[in-house]
Amino acid sequence: MTRKNRLVVVGNGMAGARFVADLIDRGGADKYDIVMYGDEPYGNYNRILLSNVLAKTQDPKDIFINPLQWYAEQEVTLHAGTRVVAIDRRARRVLADNGSEQRYDTLVLATGSTPFVPPFAGLAGEDGQYKKGLFVFRTLDDCEGITEFAKTSRKAAVIGGGLLGLEAARGIQELGVEEVHVIHLTSHLMEMQLDATGGGLLKDSLEGMGFRIHLEKSTREIMGNGRVTGLRFSDGTMLDSDLVVIAVGIRPNIDLAQRAGLSTVRGILVGDDLQTVDDPRIYALGECVEHRGNTYGLVAPLWDQARVLAERLTGLRPDAVYTGSRVATKLKVMGVDLSVMGNPVKQEGDEEISYVEQSRGVYKKVLIRDGRVAGAILLGETSRSAHLLQLFDRGQDAPESRSDLLFPAASDGSQSLESLPDDHQICNCNGVSKGQLVGAVEKGCRSLKSLCDATRAGTGCGSCRSQVEGILELATDGDTEEDPSIHYYVPGVPLSKPDLVAAIRKRGLRSVSAVFAELAGGRDDPKSKMGLASLLKTIWGSEYVDQRDARFINDRVHANVQHDGTYSVVPGISGGVTSPDQLRKIADVADKYAVPMVKITGGQRIDLLGVRREQLPGVWRDLGMRSGHAYAKSVRTVKTCVGSEFCRFGLGYSTQLGVEMEERFKGLESPGKLKMGVAGCPRNCSEALVKDVGVVAVEGGRWEVYVGGAGGSHVRKADLLTVADSHEGVLRLSGRFIQYYRENANYLERTYSFVPRIGIERIRKIVVEDADGIGEELDAALQASVDDYSDPWLEATAPAHPAQFASTFSS
Amino acid sequence: MTSELNASGRRLGPLSKIPVGEGRTFIVDGVELAVFRTRNGDLFAVQSRCPHRGGLLADGLLGDGKIVCPLHGYTFELTSGQSLGQQPCESITTYSLEVTEEGDLLIDLQRASCAG
Ligand code: SRM
Ligand SMILES: Cc1cc2nc3c(=O)[nH]c(=O)nc-3n(C[C@H](O)[C@H](O)[C@H](O)COP(=O)(O)OP(=O)(O)OC[C@H]3O[C@@H](n4cnc5c(N)ncnc54)[C@H](O)[C@@H]3O)c2cc1C
Ligand code: SF4
Ligand code: FES
């Protein structure tokens, strides 16, 4: 075995520890011996939750993300309570304050930042230490110091009316201090995040809660002998107070890097590869870095950085880059709801939508730039924040009706979530009540994914997920976390779809087990198998190595499993057009096999229900029809109406076009089901406007092509993609759309989510106008899949293995 | 190793009856069992039906030492029989299983354990 590289990480805070955890998740322990240094004498805790600890809504022991034992289990050597004082770059070693030294092959700096303390007079007592009663607010120890001191304190002052200062103030009030003052330098609170209107309303709300807010006040001196007694301001006024917290900003910890000769400005300079600009063996991430001129003071950017660096250093994606983050903030201490996205300062050409309700302290403002949400403030009423955050994060098109941004649509009911009784059923598939969801949040679920996993809510048809998200927001007071796995294509492989596709191509992974072995550290997560199988088939076509155990039971036997373990058989009837011969055959088969139920489906074909597994090959052979693929994540049906052939209103041969479409696209695997419809006139009798692809004949021999419609658990009217002037045009454009969807949608993402996510404008540019120049590629890839079609029911005579259609029970 | 089981064990036939990475349902002495064979050669035997609504576990997706019920996705740990998730349903019964020198599966219905 080759010697492992030694990776040394300085800083065991949120960025350093997250990076190491991400690295280990990606198999990094095979490649590196990991040594960490942390100045604080603990494992890694969630710094964000210190506000809760201060406000006593959370116990210090509940905020640990990685307790000391985690490091031992992961074989990470942690020097807790040890500070690194120098880096010797030539000898590649770090020196610690306890005199020890450590060599490195790769060094990662994650030293975070320290509270900025302006040079006020009277900071220190005679002993040179901060006066008693004077604190900053950054660490668990600070938190404990403040808590202890507050017990005997009557009047407290917080210098700084930004996010952190206000949270400190709220915490101190919660600790029972009678009078809490906030001293702020500028003309409104939280000027980094809020505009004047928002800042003003926030001040009103806080004053309503008993805080004394002093604006445009500049502190000059901390008074008292050895112990704080008050503040003196530059306008000559004074304020008595026996507890003072300074929270005026942070400064990245760069001195260690500076002394080692690494370039710094405000932070340690790094490139998109997170490497320091001076030394290819040294990387940095977190609050201590400066990237493209930005330093960050929130955690979301650190998560992105940690992931990118872990991917690079494990070699999973050696070319991964970090290109910057869009930031959103939530003031999460109970009492005031505030959520801010991006920079909500209006720029030339921005469209501003706002709503003010003075009496309730409600203020909502959204800035729209190029049709997308560029920034937002929600104060006092944040029920739309999850929705807005999604639009903001993903850069999706804002809805045409701008009021939908600020207020929930009347029908989605989320406005009243708060008033719903606890026993109100939210998930109608799994019978999960509001009370159960709130209970799970109280037990620690903070992300939508963990809440759904824990309660099963939203895991059925999925239509309640936005309500579940709303309850999560309510129950956590907006302090939600994002589970990184929601960005993964499948839960068991930590890569987004584009990255996963690239890794699969690059390493030539042709089977599901090969993907697990190479990209998931050998863990064959069963819930990831189907998604991977579908993706690999789309990538490799006939070169795909098909492992049957990666398929869901329906796809193993090409029929839908029923609750009693029998199956349903739905033969393909293209366009819903059948014949007496076909019907006779179906009737004969139903008789011969004593099929318990024969049913006309909602997709214009016939379902034989209650067939036993060992009967399937016989049933198919006797039918002599192709599979209808009613069991697969693939093209299902093309519903048609009679159209020109017979209908007196018909404007186009809808049955003929429907049959052509189904014959061409039949059985194409896709991330989600694809259902289509063709209508002979705008009366739309085949419901084409609620299909994934819908086609409607209009006067003049033309066809409107719609995409992204749905009529199941989600109802969505499809968007008009284009108007085609021939059957051939419809086939070509809808085929191109289907291929684009196949290549870019997430697993199980139906077109009703995919189309709004990408935006119909963008899809039109790609599919119709070929703006990206990939049109021919898409057409060719689709054609290859079409040529590759083989009817799975042919396995009736050539089973994949002897047990494939064996009776369910064996003895 | 086999000796211990031979006394109370029941033969289920050759291992090859179960496709790699999949499971099959057996009925032995009136008891229904799901038997699994993983890609790396591990074998597991558990009760055949999911405690939730009776889904046939042998038809589920197998991997990482777990089985996912084909009907509604409840997931069980195969060694312990425990249901995963914070609000788990009942556990499933597990049985001892081994392969004889001739390559036959041998199950011991007496040695069932219930994670409780
Ligand atoms: C058989 C059929 C009901 C019927 O008796 O008519 C049916 C049966 C099932 N539907 Fe459906 N759906 C049937 C038409 C529909 C339609 C109507 C249509 O296709 O025109 C819809 C609404 C259209 C749509 O999808 O937008 C529909 C929306 C759903 C949904 C909701 C999908 C969504 O994301 O909104 C599910 C659940 C899912 O996919 O996760 C579902 C899932 C199912 C499953 C596959 C449930 C399952 O996982 O086992 C049912 C399989 C029963 C079986 O074994 O055959 N079925 N289902 C229909 C078969 C049509 C066909 O010929 O292929
Ligand atoms: C009270 C509070 C509330 C917050 N609330 C939010 C919020 O709601 N949302 C949000 O997004 N962000 C919030 N933040 C900001 C967030 O906590 C930081 O962005 C995040 O902690 C930065 O992570 P980091 O790893 O870069 O720095 P840190 O978490 O500070 O970690 C750096 C670690 O490195 C150690 N260290 C430094 N130098 C050395 C050395 N030379 N040798 C050894 N160890 C060293 C330090 O002791 C520290 O433990 C809050 C911060 C505070 C203090
Ligand atoms: S057929 Fe569709 S609507 Fe009817 S019970 Fe099954 S999934 Fe539900
Ligand atoms: S029957 Fe197994 S999950 Fe429902």
Side-chain angles (χ1 to χ4, degrees):
Chain A
M1 225 178 94
T2 52
R3 189 183 79 91
K4 289 198 219 171
N5 282 321
R6 174 150 306 124
L7 173 70
V8 173
V9 181
V10 182
N12 181 30
M14 299 196 72
R18 175 64 164 252
F19 155 69
V20 169
D22 280 359
L23 186 87
I24 291 174
D25 279 352
R26 288 163 179 74
D30 296 340
K31 205 164 165 184
Y32 296 102
D33 274 327
I34 306 168
V35 180
M36 296 190 80
Y37 285 87
D39 202 6
E40 296 182 69
Y42 316 104
N44 169 47
Y45 59 84
N46 188 341
R47 201 172 298 286
I48 295 184
L49 298 179
L50 287 182
S51 319
N52 293 358
V53 173
L54 194 62
K56 288 227 175 296
T57 56
Q58 221 161 358
D59 203 73
K61 69 175 187 324
D62 294 336
I63 70 166
F64 275 88
I65 305 173
N66 304 310
L68 288 172
Q69 161 207 352
W70 179 87
Y71 297 82
E73 281 164 10
Q74 305 297 328
E75 298 182 3
V76 171
T77 311
L78 171 67
H79 299 284
T82 308
R83 185 174 183 74
V84 169
V85 289
I87 304 169
D88 179 349
R89 283 169 51 199
R90 220 165 32 86
R92 295 210 316 257
R93 56 187 187 141
V94 297
L95 306 173
D97 59 358
N98 60 4
S100 66
E101 56 174 75
Q102 172 70 59
R103 282 186 54 87
Y104 64 81
D105 296 300
T106 303
L107 179 65
V108 173
L109 301 177
T111 49
S113 48
T114 340
F116 171 59
V117 179
F120 300 134
L123 285 170
E126 275 161 9
D127 55 359
Q129 305 286 322
Y130 279 156
K131 284 179 182 161
K132 286 206 174 55
L134 179 61
F135 295 94
V136 292
F137 185 29
R138 178 78 190 176
T139 64
L140 198 50
D141 292 351
D142 295 335
C143 218
E144 276 167 7
I146 297 172
T147 308
E148 202 42 48
F149 216 84
K151 285 183 187 156
T152 56
S153 156
R154 286 189 46 252
K155 261 178 114 168
V158 175
I159 307 179
L163 181 66
L164 202 58
L166 294 181
E167 295 198 348
R170 177 73 190 172
I172 292 170
Q173 188 188 50
E174 218 56 50
L175 289 171
V177 177
E178 277 165 41
E179 242 182 81
V180 182
H181 296 258
V182 175
I183 318 298
H184 194 60
L185 192 60
T186 65
S187 60
H188 70 261
L189 294 171
M190 284 186 71
E191 77 279 1
M192 300 285 281
Q193 287 93 3
L194 288 182
D195 57 10
T197 313
L201 283 165
L202 178 62
K203 175 169 179 271
D204 295 345
S205 306
L206 293 176
E207 283 174 342
M209 292 159 61
F211 295 99
R212 318 271 175 101
I213 314 284
H214 309 264
L215 297 177
E216 299 184 78
K217 269 243 179 279
S218 161
T219 306
R220 166 161 296 174
E221 185 184 349
I222 315 282
M223 298 188 305
N225 269 331
R227 187 187 168 112
V228 174
T229 56
L231 298 175
R232 187 200 302 279
F233 305 106
S234 46
D235 59 7
T237 56
M238 304 213 291
L239 176 75
D240 286 348
S241 109
D242 46 20
L243 168 62
V244 171
V245 176
I246 302 180
V248 298
I250 52 173
R251 289 288 177 271
N253 287 329
I254 56 175
D255 39 327
L256 179 67
Q258 264 174 343
R259 273 183 276 124
L262 298 172
S263 305
T264 59
V265 181
R266 273 182 302 157
I268 305 168
L269 297 185
V270 293
D272 288 357
D273 51 6
L274 298 172
Q275 206 172 68
T276 56
V277 296
D278 316 275
D279 190 332
R281 291 191 178 266
I282 307 184
Y283 296 82
L285 80 165
E287 278 187 352
C288 63
V289 306
E290 180 167 339
H291 170 263
R292 295 191 183 185
N294 293 317
T295 54
Y296 293 103
L298 294 169
V299 289
L302 318 185
W303 296 163
D304 297 341
Q305 294 169 359
R307 198 188 60 239
V308 167
L309 191 56
E311 287 173 352
R312 286 191 84 89
L313 294 189
T314 49
L316 192 59
R317 236 174 24 116
D319 50 358
V321 287
Y322 171 72
T323 53
S325 300
R326 320 188 63 165
V327 287
T329 323
K330 280 172 184 166
L331 188 64
K332 59 203 177 306
V333 178
M334 283 185 344
V336 185
D337 291 327
L338 171 65
S339 160
V340 182
M341 286 151 228
N343 180 359
V345 176
K346 193 171 170 184
Q347 293 180 11
E348 183 79 23
D350 283 359
E351 176 187 344
E352 177 178 318
I353 296 113
S354 64
Y355 173 82
V356 188
E357 198 181 324
Q358 199 88 35
S359 59
R360 281 202 306 140
V362 172
Y363 176 51
K364 305 183 181 194
K365 173 169 116 173
V366 177
L367 290 178
I368 297 183
R369 201 168 297 151
D370 303 326
R372 293 173 179 195
V373 174
I377 297 174
L378 296 176
L379 177 66
E381 213 274 308
T382 54
S383 65
R384 286 313 261 172
S385 76
H387 174 71
L388 271 169
L389 194 61
Q390 195 173 342
L391 292 175
F392 172 74
D393 272 348
R394 304 188 184 163
Q396 288 173 8
D397 286 347
E400 254 162 62
S401 158
R402 303 299 202 215
S403 67
D404 292 355
L405 289 167
L406 303 185
F407 307 100
S411 66
D412 96 7
S414 54
Q415 193 150 36
S416 55
L417 280 179
E418 203 157 4
S419 56
L420 289 177
D422 270 359
D423 61 1
H424 181 89
Q425 181 158 304
I426 300 288
C427 174
N428 288 326
C429 287
N430 294 309
V432 184
S433 68
K434 176 185 168 189
Q436 283 169 296
L437 289 166
V438 173
V441 170
E442 280 162 4
K443 280 199 195 130
C445 294
R446 304 214 145 249
S447 70
L448 182 62
K449 180 166 182 300
S450 65
L451 184 58
C452 292
D453 286 351
T455 58
R456 308 190 60 77
T459 60
C461 74
S463 62
C464 62
R465 277 178 95 92
S466 64
Q467 281 194 311
V468 176
E469 196 165 15
I471 290 174
L472 175 70
E473 288 274 329
L474 267 180
T476 55
D477 273 307
D479 179 19
T480 57
E481 278 167 18
E482 194 178 82
D483 190 305
S485 73
I486 61 168
H487 299 297
Y488 304 160
Y489 171 72
V490 287
V493 184
L495 291 173
S496 66
K497 178 161 180 178
D499 295 342
L500 179 61
V501 171
I504 288 173
R505 288 226 161 93
K506 183 158 163 245
R507 300 180 187 218
L509 307 177
R510 287 178 170 71
S511 70
V512 170
S513 64
V515 174
F516 285 132
E518 295 251 338
L519 303 176
R523 269 193 57 223
D524 54 342
D525 174 35
K527 294 193 174 165
S528 302
K529 286 183 162 183
M530 292 185 285
L532 290 174
S534 149
L535 184 67
L536 290 169
K537 178 83 210 267
T538 309
I539 297 178
W540 298 115
S542 55
E543 283 174 60
Y544 163 59
V545 179
D546 179 7
Q547 292 167 333
R548 293 296 167 125
D549 61 301
R551 297 183 179 200
F552 185 58
I553 182 67
N554 288 1
D555 295 297
R556 290 184 195 162
V557 301
H558 319 300
N560 297 59
V561 68
Q562 306 293 310
H563 66 73
D564 59 356
T566 64
Y567 294 86
S568 74
V569 173
V570 184
I573 298 182
S574 295
V577 182
T578 180
S579 66
D581 248 4
Q582 230 171 27
L583 292 173
R584 217 171 275 123
K585 257 193 214 155
I586 294 174
D588 287 344
V589 167
D591 274 342
K592 176 169 169 189
Y593 293 89
V595 170
M597 182 189 258
V598 182
K599 184 183 178 300
I600 310 288
T601 73
Q604 297 189 340
R605 41 213 198 149
I606 295 174
D607 198 350
L608 303 173
L609 293 130
V611 177
R612 294 197 309 278
R613 191 188 301 180
E614 66 275 21
Q615 294 179 322
L616 290 171
V619 167
W620 298 337
R621 270 196 309 262
D622 291 349
L623 280 171
M625 296 166 77
R626 70 167 171 91
S627 166
H629 300 274
Y631 44 82
K633 296 295 171 223
S634 71
V635 170
R636 291 283 173 94
T637 56
V638 182
K639 265 167 91 157
T640 68
C641 68
V642 285
S644 303
E645 231 132 335
F646 287 98
C647 179
R648 66 191 162 112
F649 292 120
L651 299 172
Y653 286 95
S654 44
T655 44
Q656 195 194 324
L657 178 56
V659 171
E660 285 168 21
M661 286 172 72
E662 188 162 337
E663 287 299 324
R664 179 163 174 74
F665 301 136
K666 61 181 181 283
L668 278 179
E669 288 85 6
S670 46
K673 299 186 274 199
L674 278 168
K675 299 180 177 181
M676 311 192 209
V678 184
C681 87
R683 285 169 193 76
N684 199 16
C685 298
S686 51
E687 299 154 343
L689 296 188
V690 288
K691 295 285 170 237
D692 297 283
V693 177
V695 183
V696 181
V698 291
E699 190 53 69
R702 288 146 64 85
W703 299 93
E704 291 177 337
V705 180
Y706 290 86
V707 295
S713 53
H714 294 71
V715 180
R716 181 175 193 273
K717 180 173 181 278
D719 297 319
L720 180 63
L721 177 67
T722 185
V723 183
D725 44 22
S726 62
H727 288 202
E728 195 281 323
V730 171
L731 287 167
R732 193 172 52 83
L733 289 167
S734 52
R736 212 180 253 190
F737 166 75
I738 290 173
Q739 186 62 22
Y740 182 69
Y741 164 71
R742 293 176 78 205
E743 291 182 12
N744 293 285
N746 296 320
Y747 186 52
L748 299 184
E749 181 180 35
R750 289 278 301 263
T751 63
Y752 60 72
S753 314
F754 176 75
V755 169
R757 173 163 73 82
I758 306 290
I760 185 67
E761 302 291 336
R762 172 100 183 101
I763 292 180
R764 188 177 300 123
K765 282 212 173 76
I766 293 166
V767 171
V768 183
E769 297 158 22
D770 195 13
D772 287 15
I774 55 169
E776 281 179 17
E777 244 170 76
L778 291 172
D779 296 347
L782 182 86
Q783 188 60 45
S785 299
V786 168
D787 294 341
D788 206 29
Y789 178 79
S790 104
D791 178 3
W793 284 2
L794 296 177
E795 284 179 3
T797 45
H801 54 72
Q804 186 178 13
F805 302 114
S807 142
T808 305
F809 298 99
S810 156
S811 39
Chain B
M1 255 232 284
T2 15
S3 55
E4 215 185 308
L5 256 179
N6 266 332
S8 56
R10 282 270 182 288
R11 276 174 201 263
L12 303 180
L15 174 63
S16 58
K17 267 186 157 173
I18 309 175
V20 177
E22 297 186 22
R24 289 216 52 193
T25 311
F26 289 84
I27 305 182
V28 188
D29 296 349
V31 180
E32 277 186 17
L33 306 164
V35 180
F36 300 96
R37 175 183 180 190
T38 70
R39 278 203 164 260
N40 54 21
D42 293 336
L43 294 169
F44 298 100
V46 300
Q47 77 184 50
S48 72
R49 305 252 178 194
C50 174
H52 177 229
R53 298 233 183 119
L56 282 168
L57 294 172
D59 292 342
L61 280 158
L62 174 68
D64 197 22
K66 299 171 201 139
I67 183 71
V68 183
C69 176
L71 294 196
H72 316 99
Y74 279 52
T75 303
F76 303 88
E77 175 98 49
L78 285 167
T79 333
S80 65
Q82 235 146 24
S83 146
L84 298 166
Q86 290 192 19
Q87 281 187 348
C89 78
E90 285 167 51
S91 296
I92 52 174
T93 308
T94 60
Y95 299 91
S96 321
L97 179 78
E98 57 191 47
V99 186
T100 64
E101 273 142 28
E102 308 86 69
D104 276 354
L105 285 163
L106 200 62
I107 180 96
D108 189 347
L109 293 178
Q110 251 82 73
R111 292 211 306 184
S113 64
C114 215

